[in-house]
Amino acid sequence: MDFEAFFDERLQALKQSGDYRIFAELERCAGDFPRARYHEAGAVDDVTVWCSNDYMGMGQHPEVLAAMKNAIDEHGAGAGGTRNISGTNHLHIQLERALADLHGKQAALIFTSGYVANLTALATLASRLPGCVVYSDALNHNSMIEGLRQSRAEKRIFKHNDPADLDRLIRADDPARPKLVMFESVYSMDGDVAPLDDLLSVCEAHGALSYLDEVHAVGMYGARGGGVAEREGVMDRVDVIQGTLAKAFGVIGGYVAASTRTIDFIRSFGNGFIFTTALPPAVAAGALKSVEIVKASPDLRARHQERAARLKQKLREAGLPLMPSECHIVPVLVGDPVACRRASDLLLDLHRIYVQPINYPTVPHGTERLRLTPTPFHTDAQIDALVAALKDVWGRLELSAAA
């Protein structure tokens, strides 16, 4: 087989469909978020970033940076091994305790990423519970889907955010079989929020283990940033809560929080945890400091929500196709992959505004969009500039104003 020819053919097809991904080469500017330096063809220019997952700007917080610098001086660069082989640092234990406290759970376990946390925890639970059936929301993240695939457990897909459909599917199965229900709180591409109380009621009625992905909610919702489950007063009813350290907390890593036995089970049997080198101590130190700050910063959460609301209002007033969103994620519909890529390019080239196009397979064909993520640090002037730039690009490309 001519491997190079095959790779080239498939890549060319991806480019022709408009789904080929191009990375913008950026330098984040510490202390000046959301500004960044953009590198292109040997030139460097300032841009405003409107699509970062550093939702709260904690990746730039001086106390987080200081904690990471101090940890490097004290502990060195790497962890030195897997958690089982010399790699468990005191900072890892402190971080896990802080995360368990954040979610009101007995214990927590950290991973190298949120993706690995989902894949490992779900694959471990679903594969080792004898005869387990997994019920998955139709729009769950790829990391959850891959965890389910690796488990090889039987699966049922319930309609998105539909407790009645979940209940119908569970009722059709043997009541004696172990059941695991997995869903998210905030769905990151549409910005809709799960009906947690109703979904958990179905889980409880059938004795199913509930697994909640809060990666796009931790730090931003609830009195201390415990997520939508904390805001809705249902954290104690969720069996396993999964989160990330790479979004609201601004560093990198993932985790799960649950009962002591559940966490010990995942720790003891999860290959994605057992065979992976531990997070660098400096990363754990930065994440720990970030969690501490965010827990005590309701004003930051309030400002974040106010910025998102203001941006939505300005987009509506401008007649731009804002898609329905119940949270801080602000998607603007384009509906065509080539046009979406072109809109992103024009925003960057003409207005020095960086928004990555969101195309298939992240979202279905025909729903391509620009996904805006306002932060507490985007100013009124930057919001106005963004809306004006979007209007200009929509006019140039003759895009529809209807969402």
Side-chain angles (χ1 to χ4, degrees):
M1 182 178 186
D2 188 336
F3 297 107
E4 291 294 321
F6 172 79
F7 298 150
D8 183 63
E9 178 186 347
R10 298 308 297 268
L11 288 169
Q12 290 303 322
L14 200 61
K15 291 176 181 179
Q16 290 173 8
S17 71
D19 295 324
Y20 183 76
R21 301 182 183 206
I22 300 170
F23 299 153
E25 184 180 344
L26 303 173
E27 286 183 76
R28 283 158 57 88
C29 301
D32 199 14
F33 184 76
R35 188 177 70 86
R37 287 184 288 269
Y38 171 55
H39 291 252
E40 184 183 36
V44 182
D45 202 359
D46 285 351
V47 298
T48 302
V49 178
W50 272 102
C51 58
S52 174
N53 280 342
D54 188 359
Y55 293 134
M56 309 292 270
M58 294 304 294
Q60 312 283 309
H61 196 289
E63 292 184 44
V64 173
L65 304 187
M68 296 185 75
K69 292 173 185 176
N70 291 338
I72 288 177
D73 290 339
E74 293 180 11
H75 304 284
T82 66
R83 289 288 296 274
N84 187 51
I85 305 177
S86 82
T88 294
N89 188 284
H90 180 55
L91 288 164
H92 295 139
I93 304 303
Q94 289 182 297
L95 176 57
E96 287 171 341
R97 288 171 179 165
L99 292 166
D101 174 75
L102 175 66
H103 294 291
K105 299 299 182 187
Q106 294 176 338
L109 191 67
I110 55 174
F111 296 80
T112 50
S113 72
Y115 194 104
V116 175
N118 262 340
L119 190 153
T120 302
L122 286 166
T124 302
L125 292 169
S127 66
R128 290 184 175 271
L129 288 169
C132 182
V133 182
V134 179
Y135 304 83
S136 176
D137 186 286
L139 294 188
N140 274 338
H141 189 264
N142 177 265
S143 58
M144 303 176 80
I145 295 169
E146 286 301 319
L148 173 55
R149 284 176 178 167
Q150 288 203 16
S151 76
R152 299 186 179 179
E154 282 190 48
K155 67 179 179 181
R156 316 279 187 258
I157 308 301
F158 63 92
K159 295 176 184 176
H160 178 52
N161 281 349
D162 192 335
D165 194 49
L166 171 62
D167 185 68
R168 177 186 65 82
L169 290 171
I170 293 181
R171 286 182 183 278
D173 284 320
D174 182 352
R177 294 183 67 178
K179 297 171 177 63
L180 187 156
V181 180
M182 60 185 202
F183 48 95
E184 302 179 40
S185 58
V186 171
Y187 288 83
S188 63
M189 290 301 131
D190 293 330
D192 54 339
V193 177
L196 296 187
D197 179 60
D198 292 339
L199 288 169
L200 291 170
S201 292
V202 175
C203 294
E204 291 159 352
H206 298 283
L209 190 76
S210 55
Y211 186 103
L212 174 63
D213 179 315
E214 287 257 43
V215 297
H216 291 278
V218 290
M220 293 168 285
Y221 298 93
R224 299 192 309 155
V228 174
E230 182 186 30
R231 185 188 70 180
E232 301 299 318
V234 298
M235 266 200 316
D236 61 319
R237 296 168 57 194
V238 182
D239 293 308
V240 183
I241 294 177
Q242 183 266 348
T244 183
L245 304 170
K247 293 181 172 62
F249 297 126
V251 193
I252 192 170
Y255 64 89
V256 289
S259 70
T260 300
R261 287 192 182 92
T262 302
I263 293 301
D264 198 18
F265 185 85
I266 297 169
R267 180 190 72 86
S268 299
F269 294 102
N271 289 340
F273 176 83
I274 294 169
F275 297 103
T276 299
T277 298
L279 283 174
V283 170
L288 176 61
K289 176 57 65 175
S290 183
V291 170
E292 291 171 351
I293 293 169
V294 169
K295 278 183 181 178
S297 301
D299 54 333
L300 192 64
R301 279 185 285 283
R303 171 71 174 175
H304 186 220
Q305 293 300 308
E306 184 275 331
R307 294 287 83 188
R310 181 179 177 84
L311 176 58
K312 290 177 185 178
Q313 176 188 352
K314 291 293 183 178
L315 291 169
R316 292 189 193 99
E317 291 174 355
L320 289 161
L322 173 66
M323 299 173 70
S325 170
E326 304 171 55
C327 66
H328 60 281
I329 293 164
V330 184
V332 180
L333 181 67
V334 177
D336 176 84
V338 175
C340 198
R341 173 80 259 173
R342 184 63 179 140
S344 173
D345 291 343
L346 288 174
L347 285 169
L348 189 57
D349 294 342
L350 300 180
H351 301 281
R352 286 305 186 236
I353 288 172
Y354 173 57
V355 184
Q356 184 69 13
I358 306 295
N359 289 357
Y360 181 84
T362 306
V363 296
H365 288 298
T367 68
E368 292 82 6
R369 68 201 64 180
L370 300 178
R371 176 182 175 271
L372 308 173
T373 54
T375 73
F377 303 99
H378 283 95
T379 66
D380 286 352
Q382 287 170 333
I383 290 175
D384 292 342
L386 170 65
V387 173
L390 286 168
K391 288 182 67 176
D392 174 63
V393 168
W394 249 247
R396 290 174 183 269
L397 296 179
E398 299 181 344
L399 295 174
S400 171

